[in-house]
Amino acid sequence: MIEIKQLKSGYRGIQALKGVDLTVREGEMVAIIGANGAGKSTLLNTLSGVVRAQSGSIVFDGTEVSRMPAHTISRLGLLHVPEGRQVLADMTIRENLMLGALARSRRAALYDIDKVVSMFPILGERMDQMAGTLSGGQQQMMVIGRALMGTPRVLLLDEPSLGLSPLITHQVFEALATLHQEGLTIVIVEQNANRALAATERAYVMERGLIAQHGNSSDLLNDPAIIEHYLGSA
Ligand code: ATP
């Protein structure tokens, strides 16, 4: 469904991706782990068109998207939930969710507000409150809900557990597991490598702008080098 070949991108003076190859098949839930600064966020940002690819290719469902603007890519169904949540604090939860629906194209809506609320009941209780009054975990649920309103074909999640308590992280991952069971394709970038490997089928390990390793998540969870570098303190 996504085929990335020799992707290079970065920022002024910084080559953050140095030739990344990665494949995501339809219906898969795939993790990308790695140290701070390895290039994980840049990879998602380049996939969604927020950062421009310098070279290489990204084929999404048969279409080369690496030169397309972000709004075109999101209309194709590649929807990005960036790190830091980007909540519109002075708008209500309902308004935030409805904004997500603007990303929809002609594809039939798969998720509406009722479906988002059934997944995250706390949002239903707060629908007409300002989003800025939500806790970090509730905001994370809302931005996932907002992406669902855009009828994703692939959900790109950047650090969904950042700053959340273990209990709330568990709830967010339970929701992702449900979405995955419903057939949604999910790519998740996580510092919490333990959690990400436990939740996914396959994973990629990034180091300094390259894929250092990839394989079944369960194999990586038991790999001594991965345990030493990424799982030790978790
Ligand atoms: P983290 O978990 O810390 O976000 P990461 O693996 O997601 O790490 P990136 O954020 O993709 O890594 O960063 C890759 C490299 O690009 C780093 O050297 C980082 O300093 C640099 N970088 C990231 N964003 C920018 C930016 N907006 N402008 C300039 N350099 C950036």
Side-chain angles (χ1 to χ4, degrees):
M1 181 167 225
I2 302 177
E3 187 82 49
I4 300 175
K5 291 218 173 97
Q6 283 304 303
L7 185 64
K8 295 187 182 171
S9 81
Y11 312 89
R12 190 186 288 261
I14 296 174
Q15 183 91 57
L17 300 185
K18 298 175 182 161
V20 167
D21 293 305
L22 183 144
T23 304
V24 180
R25 295 186 276 269
E26 181 143 27
E28 264 193 321
M29 183 157 167
V30 172
I32 302 170
I33 62 170
N36 273 336
K40 306 180 297 298
S41 297
T42 305
L43 177 56
L44 290 197
N45 287 335
T46 311
L47 263 170
S48 64
V50 175
V51 170
R52 188 146 288 241
Q54 292 162 351
S55 64
S57 72
I58 304 170
V59 176
F60 173 51
D61 233 9
T63 304
E64 173 64 56
V65 299
S66 62
R67 308 291 181 277
M68 287 181 178
H71 66 268
T72 308
I73 294 174
S74 66
R75 277 177 202 277
L76 291 174
L78 204 54
L79 287 185
H80 186 185
V81 181
E83 186 176 338
R85 317 202 226 282
Q86 300 191 358
V87 164
L88 295 160
D90 296 330
M91 291 174 79
T92 65
I93 291 150
R94 186 187 307 280
E95 288 165 342
N96 268 273
L97 291 174
M98 290 312 296
L99 273 180
L102 296 178
R104 254 179 226 162
S105 62
R106 287 181 292 274
R107 278 170 294 114
L110 285 178
Y111 296 91
D112 56 16
I113 289 215
D114 289 345
K115 190 119 192 261
V116 170
V117 167
S118 71
M119 184 155 290
F120 301 116
I122 187 73
L123 298 180
E125 296 166 22
R126 309 261 171 116
M127 205 47 93
D128 296 307
Q129 289 181 22
M130 295 300 160
T133 65
L134 296 178
S135 70
Q138 292 160 355
Q139 291 187 356
Q140 184 63 52
M141 293 170 188
M142 189 189 74
V143 293
I144 293 172
R146 188 166 66 195
L148 295 178
M149 295 289 287
T151 306
R153 303 205 53 228
V154 179
L155 203 53
L156 307 173
L157 295 159
D158 198 346
E159 303 273 5
S161 77
L162 196 72
L164 305 189
S165 70
L167 177 67
I168 305 294
T169 299
H170 178 75
Q171 287 176 7
V172 167
F173 272 85
E174 289 272 286
L176 297 179
T178 302
L179 293 169
H180 175 46
Q181 277 158 19
E182 289 175 357
L184 188 60
T185 308
I186 299 176
V187 179
I188 181 164
V189 159
E190 260 296 342
Q191 283 285 332
N192 187 340
N194 259 318
R195 177 71 73 170
L197 292 177
T200 54
E201 289 131 17
R202 285 196 313 119
Y204 288 80
V205 183
M206 286 194 77
E207 274 175 27
R208 288 181 232 99
L210 289 168
I211 303 296
Q213 203 173 339
H214 67 102
N216 290 329
S217 301
S218 53
D219 294 341
L220 292 171
L221 261 178
N222 294 308
D223 182 319
I226 297 290
I227 292 171
E228 185 187 337
H229 287 106
Y230 302 107
L231 306 177
S233 60

